[in-house]
Short mmCIF file of all heavy atoms in Angstrom, two decimals:
data_model
loop_
_atom_site.label_atom_id
_atom_site.label_comp_id
_atom_site.label_asym_id
_atom_site.label_seq_id
_atom_site.Cartn_x
_atom_site.Cartn_y
_atom_site.Cartn_z
N VAL L 179 17.53 -27.37 16.25
CA VAL L 179 18.24 -26.86 15.07
C VAL L 179 17.28 -25.94 14.34
O VAL L 179 16.08 -26.31 14.08
CB VAL L 179 18.66 -28.05 14.16
CG1 VAL L 179 19.30 -27.53 12.84
CG2 VAL L 179 19.62 -28.91 14.88
N PHE L 180 17.72 -24.74 13.97
CA PHE L 180 16.89 -23.78 13.27
C PHE L 180 17.38 -23.62 11.88
O PHE L 180 18.60 -23.43 11.64
CB PHE L 180 17.00 -22.41 14.02
CG PHE L 180 16.69 -22.50 15.46
CD1 PHE L 180 17.62 -22.75 16.39
CD2 PHE L 180 15.34 -22.29 15.87
CE1 PHE L 180 17.32 -22.85 17.76
CE2 PHE L 180 15.02 -22.39 17.19
CZ PHE L 180 15.98 -22.69 18.14
N LEU L 181 16.47 -23.63 10.89
CA LEU L 181 16.85 -23.45 9.50
C LEU L 181 16.12 -22.28 8.85
O LEU L 181 16.69 -21.58 8.03
CB LEU L 181 16.70 -24.75 8.71
CG LEU L 181 17.73 -25.78 9.25
CD1 LEU L 181 17.25 -27.23 8.94
CD2 LEU L 181 19.09 -25.57 8.69
N TYR L 182 14.89 -22.08 9.25
CA TYR L 182 14.12 -20.91 8.82
C TYR L 182 14.22 -20.56 7.37
O TYR L 182 14.42 -19.38 6.97
CB TYR L 182 14.57 -19.66 9.69
CG TYR L 182 14.18 -19.79 11.14
CD1 TYR L 182 14.85 -18.99 12.16
CD2 TYR L 182 13.12 -20.54 11.56
CE1 TYR L 182 14.48 -19.08 13.43
CE2 TYR L 182 12.70 -20.60 12.90
CZ TYR L 182 13.41 -19.88 13.82
OH TYR L 182 13.10 -19.94 15.17
N LYS L 183 14.07 -21.56 6.56
CA LYS L 183 14.25 -21.31 5.14
C LYS L 183 13.28 -20.32 4.50
O LYS L 183 13.63 -19.39 3.87
CB LYS L 183 14.17 -22.66 4.36
CG LYS L 183 14.44 -22.56 2.89
CD LYS L 183 13.12 -22.86 2.17
CE LYS L 183 13.24 -22.74 0.68
NZ LYS L 183 11.98 -22.96 0.02
N ARG L 184 11.94 -20.55 4.72
CA ARG L 184 10.99 -19.68 4.06
C ARG L 184 10.97 -18.26 4.64
O ARG L 184 10.70 -17.29 3.94
CB ARG L 184 9.60 -20.32 4.09
CG ARG L 184 9.56 -21.58 3.16
CD ARG L 184 8.13 -21.95 2.83
NE ARG L 184 7.43 -22.64 3.96
CZ ARG L 184 6.53 -22.10 4.77
NH1 ARG L 184 6.17 -20.84 4.59
NH2 ARG L 184 5.95 -22.77 5.71
N ALA L 185 11.23 -18.10 5.92
CA ALA L 185 11.23 -16.78 6.56
C ALA L 185 12.44 -16.02 5.98
O ALA L 185 12.32 -14.81 5.64
CB ALA L 185 11.32 -16.89 8.05
N GLN L 186 13.57 -16.65 5.89
CA GLN L 186 14.77 -15.97 5.36
C GLN L 186 14.65 -15.63 3.89
O GLN L 186 15.06 -14.62 3.45
CB GLN L 186 16.02 -16.82 5.56
CG GLN L 186 16.41 -17.05 7.05
CD GLN L 186 17.89 -17.42 7.15
OE1 GLN L 186 18.75 -16.58 7.10
NE2 GLN L 186 18.18 -18.71 7.23
N ILE L 187 14.01 -16.56 3.13
CA ILE L 187 13.91 -16.32 1.71
C ILE L 187 12.95 -15.15 1.44
O ILE L 187 13.10 -14.41 0.44
CB ILE L 187 13.50 -17.57 0.89
CG1 ILE L 187 14.17 -17.59 -0.52
CG2 ILE L 187 12.03 -17.75 0.76
CD1 ILE L 187 14.00 -18.90 -1.24
N PHE L 188 11.97 -14.95 2.32
CA PHE L 188 11.11 -13.77 2.12
C PHE L 188 11.92 -12.50 2.25
O PHE L 188 11.78 -11.59 1.42
CB PHE L 188 9.97 -13.78 3.19
CG PHE L 188 9.16 -12.56 3.18
CD1 PHE L 188 8.41 -12.18 2.10
CD2 PHE L 188 9.01 -11.79 4.34
CE1 PHE L 188 7.63 -11.08 2.07
CE2 PHE L 188 8.21 -10.63 4.35
CZ PHE L 188 7.55 -10.27 3.22
N ALA L 189 12.83 -12.42 3.25
CA ALA L 189 13.71 -11.22 3.40
C ALA L 189 14.57 -11.06 2.16
O ALA L 189 14.75 -9.95 1.61
CB ALA L 189 14.57 -11.33 4.62
N ALA L 190 15.09 -12.15 1.66
CA ALA L 190 15.95 -12.11 0.48
C ALA L 190 15.18 -11.70 -0.73
O ALA L 190 15.62 -10.99 -1.60
CB ALA L 190 16.60 -13.47 0.29
N ASP L 191 13.92 -12.19 -0.89
CA ASP L 191 13.13 -11.81 -2.00
C ASP L 191 12.75 -10.33 -2.07
O ASP L 191 12.81 -9.72 -3.06
CB ASP L 191 11.80 -12.64 -1.99
CG ASP L 191 12.02 -14.09 -2.55
OD1 ASP L 191 13.02 -14.35 -3.26
OD2 ASP L 191 11.22 -14.97 -2.30
N LEU L 192 12.50 -9.81 -0.84
CA LEU L 192 12.25 -8.35 -0.76
C LEU L 192 13.55 -7.59 -1.21
O LEU L 192 13.47 -6.66 -2.08
CB LEU L 192 11.95 -7.93 0.70
CG LEU L 192 10.58 -8.34 1.19
CD1 LEU L 192 10.54 -8.13 2.72
CD2 LEU L 192 9.46 -7.54 0.52
#
Side-chain angles (χ1 to χ4, degrees):
V179 175
F180 304 90
L181 293 157
Y182 291 157
K183 183 249 178 183
R184 291 195 285 103
Q186 292 202 82
I187 212 171
F188 173 59
D191 281 341
L192 288 168

